[in-house]
Amino acid sequence: MVLENSIEEFIERFRTDAASGNLYPQPEGSVLLEFVAAGQVVYLFDRTGPYTAKPGPARVIVHPVLKTFSPSEIQEESLVVTQISALEGVGKITRTEKGFLIVQAKMPLVCGLLDHEQPDLKPGDWIRFETRPPTHGFYLVK
């Protein structure tokens, strides 16, 4: 399954699903964005270029790929960083697109699906999930 055709197309497609938070300065040559949102420090694989993201308040599309997911009877958002650039939590699906579940789990997550079948899930459903590292980050230029 192809999850994106280009960085620009992905950003335009999911711009409204960006998370608000703060970026810390990026060390020279680093491919990781240090993004703080929803009380978590998340390291994101920078998809928008090594010198595009500016430190300070920012909007970033947080794009993990799901490793596992299942319906959740728990209906309370949670999000935990389990290792560098990997997440797990519980969230509510806000919308679906072919190959994606957009999940609100303390912050909006544009979760990619590598399976060829779209799961039988709909907006309003709650899921428990675990992601594969790295989680990608698409910085939105103001």
Side-chain angles (χ1 to χ4, degrees):
M1 159 116 2
V2 175
L3 295 180
E4 65 184 69
N5 294 316
S6 72
I7 291 170
E8 297 77 18
E9 180 269 338
F10 191 89
I11 288 171
E12 286 311 309
R13 185 174 175 191
F14 295 109
R15 178 176 291 280
T16 60
D17 303 301
S20 295
N22 282 294
L23 282 176
Y24 283 87
Q26 221 171 340
E28 182 70 30
S30 175
V31 297
L32 295 178
L33 295 172
E34 187 175 0
F35 184 59
V36 178
Q40 294 287 332
V41 177
V42 183
Y43 290 93
L44 305 171
F45 181 70
D46 185 359
R47 295 299 308 278
T48 50
Y51 304 106
T52 305
K54 304 293 182 222
R59 292 190 20 90
V60 177
I61 299 168
V62 179
H63 171 48
V65 173
L66 293 177
K67 179 178 178 182
T68 63
F69 62 95
S70 60
S72 175
E73 297 205 8
I74 297 171
Q75 295 189 359
E76 182 177 338
E77 294 178 28
S78 67
L79 186 65
V80 177
V81 176
T82 57
Q83 59 179 305
I84 289 182
S85 207
L87 309 167
E88 67 179 43
V90 173
K92 185 177 185 178
I93 297 171
T94 59
R95 67 187 179 92
T96 63
E97 288 202 22
K98 183 176 168 109
F100 296 93
L101 297 175
I102 294 74
V103 178
Q104 176 62 39
K106 300 285 186 178
M107 72 175 84
L109 303 171
V110 178
C111 300
L113 302 165
L114 293 180
D115 197 351
H116 294 286
E117 289 187 31
Q118 189 73 11
D120 187 24
L121 294 167
K122 62 190 177 314
D125 289 347
W126 287 80
I127 62 168
R128 174 178 302 282
F129 62 88
E130 180 180 3
T131 71
R132 301 175 185 276
T135 298
H136 293 210
F138 295 80
Y139 174 75
L140 300 184
V141 178
K142 296 179 177 152

